[in-house]
């Protein structure tokens, strides 16, 4: 998977506009529930894939950082992420970290092996792709993106990952940095770095994430 080149016509890419993204996350009440709101916000802020978010276990979440280790795929279950390079650390601002932590503290399941966003039976999250996708479509409708417009522009949950990539490109973040953040680098690179080292590596990205969180 290559970092896509920025095109003039975002409709071909299935990418929501910056104004639409701001509206989507300004008021979490437009989402079906807080869980879907946070899942979508996490993808928008970090470029995490849907399967990586569904398969996220509590033990891989720390302050302002997630270790992407597993992914969930419908019909196949819990597995390694898309590629070996997809195993990576993902950083995000403290304000979102606080939101995520509060959600996790209120969850009825508290074991490290539990999934962040779903309960589970025998190691499998009780979920399906349809729930978060439908919630995303309904949230888009509430901010004025009609079903016809959404389908014409090919906007889906995964579009949030593409939005994040394009946003960083337009802000001038080096392609290599974007690729590393999205999981295009060797996983061994990150195994020997401290949290502070990673913040230095991705210093160009963290302020831009903060800008997306301004109401």
């Amino acid at each position: 998977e290559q970092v896509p080149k920025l095109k003039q016509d975002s409709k071909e890419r299935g990418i929501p506009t910056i104004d639409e993204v701001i509206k989507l996350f300004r008021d979490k009440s437009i989402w079906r529930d807080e869980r879907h709101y946070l899942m979508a916000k996490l993808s928008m802020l970090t470029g995490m894939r849907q399967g990586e978010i569904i398969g996220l276990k509590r033990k891989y979440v720390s302050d302002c950082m997630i270790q992407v280790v597993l992914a969930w795929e419908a019909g196949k279950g819990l597995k390694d992420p898309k590629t070996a390079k997809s195993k990576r650390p993902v950083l995000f601002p403290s304000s979102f970290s606080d939101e995520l932590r509060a959600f996790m503290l209120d969850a009825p399941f508290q074991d490290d092996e539990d999934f962040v966003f779903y309960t589970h039976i025998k190691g499998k999250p009780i979920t399906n792709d349809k729930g978060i996708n439908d919630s995303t479509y309904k949230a888009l409708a509430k901010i004025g993106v009609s079903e016809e417009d959404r389908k014409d522009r090919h906007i889906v949950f995964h579009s949030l990952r593409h939005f994040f990539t394009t946003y960083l490109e337009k802000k001038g973040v080096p392609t290599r940095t974007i690729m590393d953040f999205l999981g295009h680098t060797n996983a061994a690179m990150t195994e020997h770095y401290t949290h502070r080292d990673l913040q230095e590596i991705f210093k160009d990205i963290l302020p831009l994430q903060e800008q997306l969180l301004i109401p």
Side-chain angles (χ1 to χ4, degrees), residues 65-123:
M65 188 170 74
I66 284 170
Q67 289 287 348
V68 176
V69 177
L70 300 166
W72 175 263
E73 184 175 343
K76 295 185 178 180
L78 204 59
K79 62 182 186 62
D80 286 337
K82 187 171 185 178
T83 68
K85 294 180 179 181
S86 296
K87 292 186 176 183
R88 66 196 186 279
V90 171
L91 278 65
F92 41 83
S94 58
S95 55
F96 179 74
S97 185
D98 291 343
E99 272 192 292
L100 185 58
R101 277 294 180 189
F103 173 80
M104 292 173 66
L105 285 172
D106 285 341
F109 38 92
Q110 294 288 325
D111 189 87
D112 280 350
E113 291 294 330
D114 283 316
F115 295 96
V116 172
F117 296 107
Y118 294 94
T119 55
H120 72 274
I121 294 177
K122 296 181 180 179

Side-chain angles (χ1 to χ4, degrees), residues 178-196:
I178 298 174
M179 293 177 71
D180 288 347
F181 198 89
L182 292 176
H184 296 268
T185 187
N186 192 314
M189 181 202 84
T190 62
E191 292 176 356
H192 306 291
Y193 284 81
T194 67
H195 195 163
R196 182 174 295 180

Side-chain angles (χ1 to χ4, degrees), residues 31-207:
W31 291 82
R32 180 179 296 171
D33 58 38
E34 185 179 16
R35 175 169 49 101
H36 290 155
Y37 160 79
L38 288 173
M39 290 173 71
K41 196 171 185 178
L42 180 57
S43 183
M44 180 274 293
L45 278 177
T46 67
M48 283 180 67
R49 299 179 180 89
Q50 180 175 316
E52 294 170 349
I53 295 172
I54 292 176
L56 178 62
K57 292 191 174 186
R58 294 173 66 92
K59 65 181 179 180
Y60 296 124
V61 180
S62 58
D63 289 340
C64 301
M65 188 170 74
I66 284 170
Q67 289 287 348
V68 176
V69 177
L70 300 166
W72 175 263
E73 184 175 343
K76 295 185 178 180
L78 204 59
K79 62 182 186 62
D80 286 337
K82 187 171 185 178
T83 68
K85 294 180 179 181
S86 296
K87 292 186 176 183
R88 66 196 186 279
V90 171
L91 278 65
F92 41 83
S94 58
S95 55
F96 179 74
S97 185
D98 291 343
E99 272 192 292
L100 185 58
R101 277 294 180 189
F103 173 80
M104 292 173 66
L105 285 172
D106 285 341
F109 38 92
Q110 294 288 325
D111 189 87
D112 280 350
E113 291 294 330
D114 283 316
F115 295 96
V116 172
F117 296 107
Y118 294 94
T119 55
H120 72 274
I121 294 177
K122 296 181 180 179
K124 296 183 178 181
I126 304 174
T127 181
N128 56 59
D129 296 339
K130 191 173 185 295
I132 180 59
N133 289 330
D134 284 351
S135 188
T136 302
Y137 301 155
K138 289 178 180 179
L140 284 165
K142 288 181 179 179
I143 65 166
V145 180
S146 68
E147 181 179 3
E148 182 181 6
D149 187 23
R150 172 180 60 76
K151 289 181 177 179
D152 182 58
R153 294 166 60 190
H154 308 293
I155 297 178
V156 295
F157 184 88
H158 193 72
S159 297
L160 295 170
R161 174 177 167 87
H162 290 305
F163 164 81
F164 182 67
T165 302
T166 302
Y167 171 73
L168 296 183
E169 286 184 321
K170 291 174 71 174
K171 293 294 186 178
V173 177
T175 299
R176 180 73 258 175
T177 301
I178 298 174
M179 293 177 71
D180 288 347
F181 198 89
L182 292 176
H184 296 268
T185 187
N186 192 314
M189 181 202 84
T190 62
E191 292 176 356
H192 306 291
Y193 284 81
T194 67
H195 195 163
R196 182 174 295 180
D197 291 333
L198 292 169
Q199 286 182 315
E200 178 61 25
I201 292 170
F202 298 124
K203 65 181 183 299
D204 292 336
I205 291 179
L206 296 174

